[in-house]
């Protein structure tokens, strides 16, 4: 019931914005007829929609943040101030699932919905539901924006690599490397590309990792760890 009330409020705000604009046009009818009424009405409607869309973006982001806060909660008999606490693992999974599903239901087609699909995939993977996880990651990859689709592609690639499908995993990692984002850098994706070669072509993996280290010292620790693994493997 609360969700329908929130939607009614959002709809009322939208109607109010547009109504104010139309009222302004009516009060200045002569001027607007002279200047082109159609163009002005289009602008007024556009401003009203832009205001509504901006608020919708704020609401969807807040809803996703609330859901991800639950995802980051802990299972414990003790309460921790500022951290969502669940008494059982099942309670955590249920709460997170319902919150993420609500984001997808309330804000379909938004970047927040893509984020909800990504976190749903993470939760499924954590629970061992790999078929569902893959479906959620693929859904997030098709979603709006760039950040969550890239994160989902990276996560799906890691799943495929764990399953032994290095070639399919490599395609996902390479796609992210060619179109990096703020959350998934080119170097991070290239490290994963190198991992796909470590068993079949250690020399190629070493070449990629060495190039990353020379180009970006900040990637050093993870790169060094993989290079050490290659050395130990001969």
């Amino acid at each position: 019931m609360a969700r329908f009330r929130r939607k009614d409020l959002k709809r009322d705000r939208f109607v109010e914005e547009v109504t104010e604009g139309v009222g302004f046009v009516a009060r200045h009818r002569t001027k607007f007829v002279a200047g082109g009424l159609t163009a002005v009405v289009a602008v007024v409607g556009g401003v009203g929609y832009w205001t509504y869309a901006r608020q919708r973006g704020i609401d969807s982001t807040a809803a996703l943040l609330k859901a991800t806060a639950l995802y980051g909660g802990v299972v414990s008999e003790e309460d921790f101030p500022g951290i969502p606490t669940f008494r059982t693992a099942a309670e955590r999974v249920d709460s997170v699932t319902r919150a993420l599903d609500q984001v997808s239901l309330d804000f379909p087609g938004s970047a927040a919905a893509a984020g909800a699909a990504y976190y749903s995939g993470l939760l499924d993977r954590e629970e061992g539901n790999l078929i569902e996880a893959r479906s959620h990651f693929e859904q997030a990859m098709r979603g709006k924006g760039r950040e969550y689709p890239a994160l989902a592609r990276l996560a799906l690639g890691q799943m495929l690599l764990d399953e032994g499908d290095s070639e399919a995993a490599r395609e996902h990692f390479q796609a992210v490397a060619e179109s990096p984002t703020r959350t998934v850098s080119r170097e991070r994706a290239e490290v994963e590309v190198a991992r796909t070669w470590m068993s079949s072509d250690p020399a190629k993996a070493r070449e990629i990792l060495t190039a990353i280290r020379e180009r970006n010292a900040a990637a050093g620790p993870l790169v060094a760890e993989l290079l050490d693994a290659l050395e130990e493997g001969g």
Side-chain angles (χ1 to χ4, degrees), residues 141-205:
M141 284 165 52
R142 296 190 298 268
K144 186 177 181 180
R146 297 184 66 239
E147 301 300 333
Y148 286 115
L151 286 166
R153 189 177 286 278
L154 190 72
L156 180 56
Q158 290 167 339
M159 273 186 59
L160 291 168
L161 185 58
D162 290 343
E163 293 169 3
D165 194 345
S166 298
E167 186 174 345
R170 189 179 305 122
E171 290 179 5
H172 287 296
F173 298 146
Q174 193 62 50
V176 179
E178 292 171 0
S179 184
T181 68
R182 289 175 299 175
T183 51
V184 187
S185 67
R186 172 187 170 188
E187 288 77 14
R188 180 69 185 89
E190 287 181 341
V191 165
E192 296 302 320
V193 172
R195 287 182 62 221
T196 68
W197 290 112
M198 288 185 69
S199 296
S200 60
D201 194 340
K204 190 171 187 65

Side-chain angles (χ1 to χ4, degrees), residues 21-144:
V22 173
F24 182 75
V25 172
R27 291 194 299 274
H28 300 79
R29 182 180 301 276
T30 302
K31 182 188 299 183
F32 287 137
V33 168
L37 179 60
T38 301
V40 173
V41 170
V43 170
V44 169
V47 170
Y49 180 78
W50 179 84
T51 302
Y52 172 74
R54 182 181 63 176
Q55 184 61 49
R56 178 178 169 82
I58 293 171
D59 292 344
S60 65
T61 299
L64 180 60
L65 286 174
K66 180 178 179 180
T68 55
L70 293 174
Y71 177 83
V74 298
V75 178
S76 174
E77 291 299 323
E78 300 180 46
D79 289 325
F80 296 90
I83 301 176
T85 307
F86 306 96
R87 294 298 178 248
T88 66
E91 181 187 349
R92 171 181 172 269
V93 170
D94 182 63
S95 295
V96 174
T97 299
R98 283 190 287 107
L100 291 172
D101 286 349
Q102 197 66 50
V103 174
S104 298
L105 181 65
D106 288 347
F107 306 99
S110 66
Y118 167 69
Y119 279 100
S120 293
L122 292 182
L123 186 64
D124 284 327
R125 186 176 66 179
E126 178 186 315
E127 292 297 299
N129 304 321
L130 301 186
I131 294 177
E132 291 85 350
R134 179 168 185 158
S135 177
H136 276 123
F137 288 144
E138 289 174 345
Q139 179 183 348
M141 284 165 52
R142 296 190 298 268
K144 186 177 181 180

